[in-house]
Amino acid sequence: MCGIVGYVGRAEAAPILLEGLRRLEYRGYDSAGVATLEEGCVSVRKEVGRIDDLKKAIGSHPIGGTTGISHTRWATHGKVTRENAHPHFDRSGKLALVHNGVIENYASLRAQLEEEGHIFQSQTDTEVLAHLVGRAFDRSSERTQGALVAAVRDALRQVTGTYGIGVVHAEFPGLIIGARRGSPLVLGIGKGEHFLASDVSAIVSHTRDVVYLNDYEIAAITEDGFTLSTVEGLGADYNVTTVDMTDEDVGKGDYTHFMLKEIHEQVRSVTDAMRGRLSHEEATAKLGGLNMTNAELRSVERIVLTGCGTALHAAMVGEYLIEHLAQVPTECEFASEFRYRNLPMTKDTLVFVMSQSGETADTLAALRESKRKGHRTLGICNNVASTIARESDGGVYMHAGPEIGVAATKSFTSQVTVLALIALLLGRIRNLSSAAGSRIISEMETLPDLIAKVLAKEEEIAAVARRYAQAKVMLFMGRQLNYPVALEGALKLKEISYIAASGYPSAELKHGVIALVNAETPSVFIAPDDAVFHKNLSNIEEVKARGGPVIAIGTEGKGGELSLICDDVILIPQAPEILTPILTSIVLQIFAYHIAVELGCDVDKPRNLAKSVTVE
Ligand code: AGP
C-alpha cells in the first residue's frame, strides 16, 4: 500500500527519496511524488505510474534541496491521477503533506473548509488534512517550529481514521514533522541526517538505528536530532532499536524476481522457524513467546485462528494440525469478518492472529476486537516491529526474513511450520504420547532436506507450467490438509498471472465445479501419498472422464498410479502426511511463478495489489 520516505540532512534529498521509494515499490502503488524545500519554496514532482516515470520527470526538471518528503500512492479516495498523487498542499502552497491511511470524516471537513473559501485540487482525503494543518498554522500568532508542530497537533485532533504523515513547510527548510495513528511510521537516525519512513526497508541502506513511532505520536525531525510529543500535547519516551536487517536482505541478489528468491529461501526460513524450538528431551516444542504456562494452555477449550489471504490459508492447515495432534476444537475466520460476526467464544477461547507484515488493517482490527472482548490474543507474525506484534498478548515470530514479493511464499511455509509447533505443544500437554512427540520432532527435522529436494525440481515444474500457461481458467483440488493448499495454489496463480483460478476440496467437484471441466480447463490435483490418496484418484478419474486435462502433485513411489491417468505428474519426496502441505505448496509457488513469467507478467508487482493492506 502507500509508502512514505522523508529525508533531512546535508545531502541532496531527491535521489535519497527516490531510492527509498524504489525500496517500497513492493508494497504496491499506482502513482508517486516528491516534494523538496529549496530557496524558500516547496518544489514538487508527481507522476502516475512507476518510480522510473517519476525519476524521468525529475531528470528533465530537477529539484534541489536537502529536506524532502515523498510518497507512493495506492488509490483509495479519488482516481489514479497526477492531481490525486501526493504530496498535497495547503491553501498557502507553502505546506506539503504525504499521508498513508484514511481520513474517515474528510467529506464533512472538506465541506466546512470549502465554506470558508478553501479550494481543493484533488479528490483525496489527504488534501483536507494538508488544508487543516495549514489553516491552523496560519491562524497561529507565531511563525515558529513549535507553532507548526502545534498546528499538526490541532489538525490531527479534528480527524478520525488512520494516518501516517510527513509534513514540510517552506519557512522551515530543515524540518520534517511526522505523526502516526494506525499506519506505521519509523524514524531513522543517521549522522547529521535523519529519515522518516513507513517501512524500515526504505532506509536500511542509510541507517539501522531507528525509533518506531507509536500511535498518536508526533516527531519533529531536523538534521541534528528529533523531538517526540503526543497528539494530546504531552512528551513521549522512545527506544532506539537497531534493526536486524541488512541491505542484502532487501535486495534481489542474482534472482530475476523477489518471489523466486523467496521461494528459494525456504530451506533457511523453515529452519529458522524451528530453530531452538524443538526439545528432544521433552518431546515437545518450546514456545516461550506465548507467555502462557502449560496449565493455562491446558485450560484452552477452543482456538480461533484469523488472518487474511495466504495467512488464512496457513491457518486452515493449522486447524487440521491442531485438531489432529491436540484435539482442541479450532476454527478459522477471515479477519475481515471476525469483527462483524458474533462468534460464540467461551472465556477459555484462545485467539491467534496471523500476519506476515503485522500491519494488515483487517487483522489488526480482529486483534483489537478480540482483546476488547477479553480474550487472550496471540500473534504469529514475521515483522517483529509491527503493530500486531506489539499489541498481541504474546505469540510466535516466524523469523522468515523480509518478504518483499507481493505474492506470499516463504511466509506461508513458515506460518504452517509455526502452527505445527503449536499443535505439537498443545498435543503434548494433552494426550499425545512422548513417543509420538519424538517421532514428530524427528520428522520435522527432515523438512529442510525435503524442501531442498522440491526446489531442485524447479526446471521440471517450470516445463509443466509453460505447457499450461495459455489456460484461461484453472481449477485446484485437494483434500484434508491439502485443501487449503489448493486454495493457496489458486490464489498464487490468479494474483500474479491473472488466470481465473479457484480451489476446492476434491470431492466438491461433483457438486457443481465439474460443470467447468472441459478440454481447455486444466485441473491441478494435490494428491500426495496420504490417507485420502485413493479418494483423490477417483476424483481425478471423474475429471478425465469428461476430457479435462489433469496435472497431479503426488509422492515419489506413488507416481505410477497417477501417471496412468494424469497428463502431467510432479512428485514430492516421500514425507509424513502432516508435512505434505509445505512441500506441495512450494510446487505450486514454482508453478504459478513460471506461468506468470511465461505470460510476461510483472511478478513482483501484480496489478492492483499491495503487499501490506493497511486499509480496511
Ligand atoms: C498473498 O500472496 C497475498 N499477498 C495476501 O493474500 C496476503 O497474504 C494478505 O494480504 C495478508 O498479509 P499479511 O500476512 O501481511 O497480513
Side-chain angles (χ1 to χ4, degrees):
M1 296 236 120
C2 305
I4 290 176
V5 189
Y7 174 79
V8 50
R10 294 162 200 164
E12 281 290 307
I16 294 171
L17 297 173
L18 282 172
E19 184 216 318
L21 290 185
R22 198 179 289 289
R23 301 213 176 221
L24 297 184
E25 278 195 298
Y26 75 95
R27 293 167 63 105
Y29 68 103
D30 42 56
S31 50
V34 168
T36 58
L37 300 177
E38 53 178 346
E39 295 165 9
C41 295
V42 185
S43 301
V44 68
R45 302 285 179 272
K46 308 193 218 183
E47 283 303 318
V48 167
R50 296 294 187 204
I51 304 298
D52 275 340
D53 300 314
L54 179 63
K55 193 175 170 194
K56 273 189 213 138
I58 292 176
S60 36
H61 297 97
I63 48 175
T66 60
T67 301
I69 51 176
S70 62
H71 190 262
T72 46
R73 174 173 188 250
W74 189 86
T76 57
H77 295 61
K79 290 194 172 137
V80 179
T81 60
R82 187 185 283 163
E83 292 71 41
N84 287 337
H86 302 209
H88 288 286
F89 285 89
D90 73 333
R91 177 150 75 164
S92 74
K94 289 182 176 177
L95 179 143
L97 181 147
V98 290
H99 165 230
N100 291 355
V102 173
I103 304 301
E104 289 166 2
N105 58 341
Y106 86 102
S108 57
L109 290 168
R110 180 172 170 145
Q112 193 185 315
L113 287 161
E114 278 172 337
E115 255 175 49
E116 291 173 24
H118 287 247
I119 295 167
F120 289 87
Q121 313 296 328
S122 77
Q123 289 82 51
T124 63
D125 51 337
T126 302
E127 195 182 0
V128 171
L129 188 52
H131 278 243
L132 284 179
V133 179
R135 182 181 70 172
F137 185 56
D138 291 339
R139 281 177 178 172
S140 107
S141 52
E142 293 172 31
R143 305 297 288 180
T144 61
Q145 185 174 312
L148 186 58
V149 173
V152 170
R153 183 174 292 128
D154 182 282
L156 294 179
R157 283 179 177 159
Q158 298 175 58
V159 299
T160 55
T162 54
Y163 53 79
I165 58 168
V167 183
V168 289
H169 195 289
E171 290 173 25
F172 304 96
L175 173 70
I176 301 177
I177 297 172
R180 75 159 270 180
R181 180 187 175 266
S183 291
L185 209 57
V186 61
L187 195 160
I189 304 168
K191 289 199 177 77
E193 57 186 7
H194 286 86
F195 305 82
L196 186 71
S198 51
D199 181 330
V200 76
S201 61
I203 55 174
V204 79
S205 60
H206 299 282
T207 179
R208 291 170 59 203
D209 293 330
V210 303
V211 174
Y212 292 101
L213 263 62
N214 293 308
D215 275 351
Y216 301 108
E217 282 181 355
I218 303 176
I221 309 159
T222 63
E223 67 175 57
D224 299 319
F226 59 91
T227 56
L228 285 189
S229 59
T230 67
V231 172
E232 291 79 43
L234 305 170
D237 289 337
Y238 63 87
N239 291 318
V240 177
T241 307
T242 302
V243 292
D244 183 20
M245 186 190 283
T246 62
D247 215 14
E248 217 170 80
D249 289 333
V250 291
K252 273 202 294 248
D254 292 334
Y255 289 94
T256 40
H257 296 99
F258 281 109
M259 182 181 177
L260 189 62
K261 174 178 178 244
E262 287 154 10
I263 287 172
H264 281 275
E265 280 173 350
Q266 290 177 100
V267 172
R268 186 192 52 73
S269 55
V270 164
T271 306
D272 288 348
M274 294 190 288
R275 194 183 302 285
R277 291 171 167 169
L278 290 172
S279 162
H280 277 280
E281 212 180 340
E282 296 174 42
T284 190
K286 297 275 191 192
L287 299 169
L290 296 179
N291 296 335
M292 289 177 77
T293 63
N294 281 354
E296 285 172 323
L297 285 169
R298 211 176 298 113
S299 67
V300 170
E301 286 176 349
R302 193 155 174 266
I303 290 177
V304 173
L305 304 170
T306 186
C308 300
T310 292
L312 188 69
H313 296 155
M316 291 167 78
V317 179
E319 178 182 357
Y320 280 94
L321 293 172
I322 294 170
E323 292 191 346
H324 176 63
L325 296 181
Q327 297 285 297
V328 180
T330 303
E331 192 171 341
C332 292
E333 181 58 67
F334 288 103
S336 53
E337 294 291 304
F338 182 92
R339 252 185 331 157
Y340 304 105
R341 275 193 71 184
N342 205 5
L343 269 181
M345 309 218 307
T346 61
K347 73 173 174 41
D348 292 317
T349 301
L350 179 62
V351 178
F352 281 95
V353 293
M354 308 196 25
S355 173
Q356 185 284 127
S357 62
E359 300 291 352
T360 299
D362 287 322
T363 313
L364 181 58
L367 162 83
R368 288 177 177 161
E369 177 66 7
S370 170
K371 286 184 72 173
R372 215 169 4 247
K373 286 185 168 157
H375 295 289
R376 199 188 288 253
T377 310
L378 306 177
I380 299 178
C381 289
N382 194 30
N383 181 357
V384 297
S386 62
T387 312
I388 291 179
R390 279 185 287 150
E391 292 193 14
S392 303
D393 295 320
V396 188
Y397 287 122
M398 289 151 54
H399 296 313
E403 188 179 71
I404 309 278
V406 166
T409 51
K410 60 180 179 171
S411 61
F412 176 82
T413 49
S414 293
Q415 280 159 346
V416 172
T417 305
V418 165
L419 287 163
L421 296 175
I422 292 170
L424 171 62
L425 169 64
L426 293 173
R428 284 288 291 127
I429 55 173
R430 288 181 170 75
N431 296 329
L432 199 70
S433 71
S434 116
S438 292
R439 179 178 43 76
I440 290 164
I441 289 179
S442 306
E443 289 173 352
M444 289 191 72
E445 285 175 336
T446 66
L447 250 182
D449 282 346
L450 295 172
I451 293 173
K453 284 182 182 150
V454 174
L455 294 173
K457 292 191 170 212
E458 183 182 347
E459 237 341 284
E460 184 192 324
I461 301 167
V464 177
R466 286 191 279 267
R467 280 203 282 284
Y468 294 91
Q470 302 309 323
K472 298 282 173 271
V473 179
M474 230 184 264
L475 305 173
F476 288 75
M477 259 75 70
R479 303 182 79 126
Q480 299 288 299
L481 281 158
N482 279 289
Y483 159 54
V485 176
L487 297 176
E488 177 60 9
L491 176 62
K492 282 300 80 95
L493 186 67
K494 63 190 151 196
E495 71 179 329
I496 59 170
S497 74
Y498 319 133
I499 293 174
S502 313
Y504 304 94
S506 309
E508 275 295 302
L509 255 180
K510 46 195 178 297
H511 300 289
V513 194
I514 204 158
L516 296 175
V517 170
N518 63 30
E520 275 74 53
T521 304
S523 295
V524 179
F525 272 87
I526 306 147
D529 181 12
D530 59 15
V532 287
F533 175 70
H534 285 100
K535 300 285 175 200
N536 263 318
L537 221 50
S538 307
N539 301 133
I540 294 174
E541 294 280 12
E542 288 158 9
V543 171
K544 287 310 300 173
R546 285 153 185 90
V550 172
I551 306 148
I553 300 167
T555 304
E556 283 167 5
K558 281 273 192 175
E561 284 178 78
L562 290 168
S563 304
L564 282 177
I565 49 170
C566 301
D567 299 81
D568 283 287
V569 178
I570 299 164
L571 299 176
I572 59 165
Q574 290 272 352
E577 195 165 335
I578 60 165
L579 303 185
T580 58
I582 292 181
L583 305 177
T584 54
S585 65
I586 294 175
V587 172
L588 294 180
Q589 293 166 2
I590 298 172
F591 181 73
Y593 172 80
H594 282 284
I595 287 186
V597 169
E598 179 71 9
L599 294 174
C601 297
D602 194 347
V603 173
D604 284 332
K605 293 177 224 105
R607 71 180 178 212
N608 303 338
L609 284 176
K611 178 66 179 162
S612 174
V613 184
T614 50
V615 293
E616 270 186 60

